[in-house]
């Protein structure tokens, strides 16, 4: 029962879309109406408001970290084992992808996935983040960096901890990230993908 409660709570935490919340706070257009129409930090950055984008990135990452950290820190005393932590990790990620508070229209999950990985283990998160940064700096495509990092994340976990229930959760997140970036993959192959920092004409203040 405690594992079920923790899983539902994690989903609700994940359902807080900081891209939408921060856009409202900063008086920007809804990120679901311009650019890639993805409520995430990269699309918010297309508004030209770096503060809003940074706040979105931190918020989406923090919620992933918080849910997993709470499960690992306090879960054992309530009978939540590694399988329960794995469920919490997937649940907070699914909440971001399909948030109940925003008609199930969510982001692609990059920042939240990173938060989850940092919550599981800081070195796992940092290794994945370093992969993202290297690819993003070299090619200037956020989506490409996310795709490469998502492929490497389960590999990093396996090297650090071997095969267990949490590895399954990490692999599931990676698969979902690849799925959510299917449109970006097509754009990359067609040479139509927007680079980091490019602005959208529809991203205006209200």
């Amino acid at each position: 029962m405690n594992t079920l409660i923790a899983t539902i709570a994690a989903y609700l935490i994940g359902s807080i879309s900081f891209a939408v919340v921060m856009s409202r706070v900063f008086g920007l257009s809804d990120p679901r109406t311009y650019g890639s129409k993805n409520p995430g930090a990269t699309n918010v950055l297309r508004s030209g408001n770096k503060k809003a984008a940074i706040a979105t990135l931190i918020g989406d990452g923090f919620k992933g970290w918080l849910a997993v950290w709470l499960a690992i820190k306090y879960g054992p005393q309530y009978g939540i084992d590694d399988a329960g932590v794995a469920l919490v990790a997937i649940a907070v990620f699914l909440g971001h992808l399909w948030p109940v508070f925003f008609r199930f229209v969510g982001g692609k999950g990059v920042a939240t996935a990173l938060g989850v990985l940092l919550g599981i283990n800081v070195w796992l998160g940092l290794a994945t983040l370093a992969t993202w940064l290297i690819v993003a700096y070299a090619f200037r495509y956020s989506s490409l960096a996310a795709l490469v990092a998502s492929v490497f994340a389960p590999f990093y976990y396996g090297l650090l901890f071997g095969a267990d229930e949490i590895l399954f959760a990490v692999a599931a997140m990676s698969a979902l990230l690849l799925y959510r970036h299917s449109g970006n993959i097509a754009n990359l192959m067609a040479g139509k993908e927007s680079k980091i920092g490019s602005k959208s004409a529809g991203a205006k203040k209200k």
Side-chain angles (χ1 to χ4, degrees):
M1 179 61 71
N2 288 332
T3 297
L4 177 61
I5 293 172
T7 301
I8 294 173
Y11 171 77
L12 294 176
I13 291 172
S15 290
I16 301 171
S17 177
F18 280 90
V20 177
V21 172
M22 290 302 157
S23 291
R24 291 176 182 174
V25 169
F26 285 89
L28 304 172
S29 298
D30 190 318
R32 295 168 294 181
T33 64
Y34 64 82
S36 65
K37 295 182 172 56
N38 172 59
T42 300
N43 202 38
V44 173
L45 184 60
R46 293 190 176 100
S47 71
N49 193 316
K50 293 181 180 180
K51 291 182 179 179
I54 292 172
T56 298
L57 180 66
I58 293 173
D60 283 343
F62 177 75
K63 68 184 181 185
W65 172 86
L66 179 64
V68 174
W69 181 81
L70 288 173
I72 293 174
K73 180 72 173 180
Y74 299 105
Q77 59 187 297
Y78 296 102
I80 299 175
D81 55 12
D82 282 354
V85 172
L87 287 173
V88 165
I90 294 175
V92 69
F93 185 68
L94 289 176
H96 179 80
L97 300 187
W98 293 287
V100 67
F101 302 133
F102 296 93
R103 300 181 180 179
F104 303 102
V105 178
K108 294 177 181 177
V110 177
T112 302
L114 176 60
V116 168
L117 296 178
L118 287 169
I120 293 171
N121 180 269
V122 65
W123 294 112
L124 171 65
L126 289 176
T128 306
L129 175 60
T131 302
W132 189 96
L133 290 172
I134 290 169
V135 177
Y137 179 80
F139 298 98
R140 305 297 298 172
Y141 289 112
S142 175
S143 57
L144 179 61
L147 291 167
V148 175
S150 66
V151 169
F152 274 87
F155 173 72
Y156 292 145
Y157 185 91
L159 283 179
L160 288 169
F161 307 107
D164 58 16
E165 295 93 340
I166 298 177
L167 174 59
F168 171 78
V170 174
M173 285 196 305
S174 296
L176 284 168
L177 276 168
L178 293 174
Y179 167 73
R180 295 287 283 187
H181 282 80
S182 58
N184 300 93
I185 294 173
N187 287 337
L188 285 166
M189 294 180 67
K192 298 178 180 179
E193 184 72 350
S194 298
K195 292 192 174 183
I196 295 173
S198 60
K199 294 184 179 181
S200 173
K204 299 177 181 178
K205 284 191 175 184
K206 294 179 181 179

